[in-house]
Amino acid sequence: EIVLTQSPGTLSLSPGEGATLSCRTSQTVRSSYLAWYQQKPGQAPSLVMYGASNRATGIPDRFSGSGSGTDFTLTISSLEPEDYAVYYCQQNDTSPMTFGPGTKVDMK
Amino acid sequence: EVQLVESGGELVQPGGSLRLSCTASGTTFSLYGFNWVRQAPGKGLEWISYISSSSGNTMDYADAVKGRFTISRDNAKSSVYLQMSSLGDDDTAVYYCSRERWFGDREEYWGQGTVVIVSS
């Protein structure tokens, strides 16, 4: 199975600061099959980015995604209060679908 | 608007069985495959099962549940089911269903989750 590693585990940042979240995969993942999810406490995950660099419906352009192969990045250019959450990367290139352990973005 | 509603979660004793349901609305149900994903308390997301669209001929399971869980679907009821047996403490989690996302889809739909607690 493809193992996803996310770093850092926690990002403590103030509103207006930028956030860079990393996801590394243990094997090459085609970009089309790499997604990012946001999860807030008590809520289901929601899609943020698909195909590594495509914003999901309703996601503001302060969110961007990049990467290929085994290294992927989610960037939030300027944090808004509603962006504080846990972010998971996911690969669906090879079964089983796997998720990273998550990066928590919390308010400094 | 697409909605997925899970149900069936409850407190169950170790070794017991449970059937979860996921009922969809606002979507042409038979066209889509569905996943079950779970989240143990304070932990991350774990995919556990998938069933393909239409007749559901393709099913897939995570190793952690293979042989114990069975996924199925009833297109007439717009529902997907997860039959769980031989439940253990590590099956305690919120169980989410999600509709598969087709290539290029900008949206993905998840239910609100149903809670399964395995405890004596």
Side-chain angles (χ1 to χ4, degrees), chain A residues 92 95, chain B residues 30 32-36 47-61 70-73 75 80-81 100:
Chain A
N92 195 19
S95 182
Chain B
S30 62
Y32 292 90
F34 288 83
N35 290 289
W36 284 98
W47 170 83
I48 55 171
S49 189
Y50 167 79
I51 188 165
S52 60
S53 61
S54 190
S55 57
N57 284 340
T58 299
M59 293 162 283
D60 198 9
Y61 300 94
T70 302
I71 192 170
S72 61
R73 65 187 295 154
N75 291 333
V80 179
Y81 306 102
E100 76 176 337

Side-chain angles (χ1 to χ4, degrees), chain A residues 32-33 35 37 39 43-45 47 50-51 55-58 88 90 95-101, chain B residues 35 37 39 43-47 60-63 96 101 103-108 110-113:
Chain A
S32 299
Y33 297 94
Y37 294 83
Q39 189 179 34
Q43 297 184 16
L47 183 68
Y50 66 95
R55 283 187 297 276
T57 298
Y88 296 94
Q90 177 221 53
S95 182
M97 174 196 300
T98 47
F99 293 87
Chain B
N35 290 289
V37 174
Q39 187 169 37
K43 303 296 184 183
L45 302 168
E46 179 188 20
W47 170 83
D60 198 9
Y61 300 94
D63 286 347
Y96 296 102
R101 181 167 41 85
F103 189 84
D105 276 354
R106 297 188 65 208
E107 295 174 303
E108 186 172 286
W110 291 61
Q112 85 290 347

Side-chain angles (χ1 to χ4, degrees), chain A residues 2-7 21-27 29 34 36 69-73 89 100-101:
Chain A
I2 297 179
V3 176
L4 279 61
T5 304
Q6 291 186 243
S7 61
L21 287 66
S22 173
C23 175
R24 289 192 170 174
T25 62
S26 61
Q27 301 171 40
V29 170
L34 193 287
W36 290 89
T70 60
D71 287 308
F72 299 89
T73 300
C89 56

Side-chain angles (χ1 to χ4, degrees), chain B:
Chain B
E1 180 191 2
V2 178
Q3 287 193 325
L4 304 178
V5 178
E6 302 96 335
S7 60
E10 63 181 46
L11 173 64
V12 60
Q13 291 195 338
S17 298
L18 206 57
R19 189 177 87 152
L20 306 183
S21 301
C22 169
T23 301
S25 60
T27 181
T28 306
F29 181 81
S30 62
L31 293 181
Y32 292 90
F34 288 83
N35 290 289
W36 284 98
V37 174
R38 69 183 180 184
Q39 187 169 37
K43 303 296 184 183
L45 302 168
E46 179 188 20
W47 170 83
I48 55 171
S49 189
Y50 167 79
I51 188 165
S52 60
S53 61
S54 190
S55 57
N57 284 340
T58 299
M59 293 162 283
D60 198 9
Y61 300 94
D63 286 347
V65 305
K66 202 170 290 184
R68 300 189 299 123
F69 290 12
T70 302
I71 192 170
S72 61
R73 65 187 295 154
D74 184 337
N75 291 333
K77 296 184 177 180
S78 295
S79 294
V80 179
Y81 306 102
L82 189 69
Q83 179 68 47
M84 307 186 294
S85 62
S86 302
L87 287 164
D89 293 347
D90 52 1
D91 295 314
T92 293
V94 178
Y95 285 72
Y96 296 102
C97 70
S98 69
R99 194 188 79 173
E100 76 176 337
R101 181 167 41 85
W102 289 348
F103 189 84
D105 276 354
R106 297 188 65 208
E107 295 174 303
E108 186 172 286
Y109 298 96
W110 291 61
Q112 85 290 347
T114 189
V115 178
V116 174
I117 300 173
V118 183
S119 176
S120 54

Side-chain angles (χ1 to χ4, degrees), chain A residues 38-94:
Chain A
Q38 177 192 74
Q39 189 179 34
K40 297 179 180 178
Q43 297 184 16
S46 62
L47 183 68
V48 174
M49 202 73 59
Y50 66 95
S53 60
N54 302 287
R55 283 187 297 276
T57 298
I59 300 301
D61 60 8
R62 63 179 179 272
F63 286 84
S64 62
S66 64
S68 63
T70 60
D71 287 308
F72 299 89
T73 300
L74 178 70
T75 302
I76 310 171
S77 61
S78 178
L79 282 163
E80 296 288 338
E82 61 268 28
D83 300 336
Y84 291 93
V86 179
Y87 292 85
Y88 296 94
C89 56
Q90 177 221 53
Q91 70 81 25
N92 195 19
D93 191 356
T94 302

